[in-house]
Amino acid sequence: MATETGLEVNGGSHTLRLDNRCTLLDALREHLGLTGPKKGCDHGQCGACTVLVDGRRVNSCLMLAVSLDGASVTTVEGLADGEQLHPVQQAFLDHDAFQCGFCTPGQLCSAVGLLAEAARTGERLDEASVRERMSGNICRCGAYPGIVRAVLEVSA
């Protein structure tokens, strides 16, 4: 069974006819051609597929796309403002937080979501709180110290 679903993705409106079992990750990658969100574990354990839905970070491999009719989705491709990198993207560059890059899109979206969460609650972030809040995104190549430094820099 398929359902017509409307999504706003990175500022553009899309109407898709999707199998009801289609995940948001597969809708983004296979139907809209966005390769930023990565298919890592496909079980919500690695965070490589993290995107922002209505400003909140989610594992897109765990969400059914048809359940998000009318939602606004931001992938890593939608973080920059034209040629101007998002401050988190610039901080990742400045702190050498990329290395292999596979997890980077999910890490970037998660960091943007984390910073918005902290701004909403007024929480002051420290290294321990950043590590705890980023724990759903696994870096397997050793860039993690740079990722934490980048998030802390933008939160300051």
Side-chain angles (χ1 to χ4, degrees), residues 37-75:
K38 300 294 188 249
K39 186 173 273 197
C41 68
D42 217 17
H43 293 88
Q45 297 174 342
C46 73
C49 66
T50 303
V51 299
L52 302 169
V53 174
D54 294 331
R56 298 187 184 271
R57 54 191 172 150
V58 302
N59 291 327
S60 61
C61 71
L62 297 180
M63 303 200 75
L64 296 175
V66 298
S67 71
L68 300 171
D69 187 42
S72 175
V73 178
T74 303
T75 69

Side-chain angles (χ1 to χ4, degrees), residues 12-103:
S13 295
H14 302 273
T15 300
L16 304 168
R17 184 154 185 84
L18 300 170
D19 185 293
N20 290 351
R21 299 167 292 178
C22 181
T23 65
L24 176 59
L25 175 61
D26 287 339
L28 294 170
R29 289 185 61 85
E30 297 175 20
H31 295 271
L32 296 178
L34 297 169
T35 57
K38 300 294 188 249
K39 186 173 273 197
C41 68
D42 217 17
H43 293 88
Q45 297 174 342
C46 73
C49 66
T50 303
V51 299
L52 302 169
V53 174
D54 294 331
R56 298 187 184 271
R57 54 191 172 150
V58 302
N59 291 327
S60 61
C61 71
L62 297 180
M63 303 200 75
L64 296 175
V66 298
S67 71
L68 300 171
D69 187 42
S72 175
V73 178
T74 303
T75 69
V76 70
E77 291 94 338
L79 292 179
D81 183 13
E83 296 298 316
Q84 181 68 42
L85 294 177
H86 187 282
V88 174
Q89 291 173 308
Q90 185 61 55
F92 269 53
L93 277 173
D94 296 343
H95 291 280
D96 195 24
F98 288 114
Q99 293 205 7
C100 85
F102 186 81
C103 72

Side-chain angles (χ1 to χ4, degrees), residues 103-127:
C103 72
T104 304
Q107 298 272 4
L108 286 164
C109 286
S110 190
V112 170
L114 175 164
L115 292 166
E117 292 162 13
R120 278 193 298 273
T121 63
E123 180 183 354
R124 185 172 167 84
L125 298 170
D126 59 18
E127 185 174 332

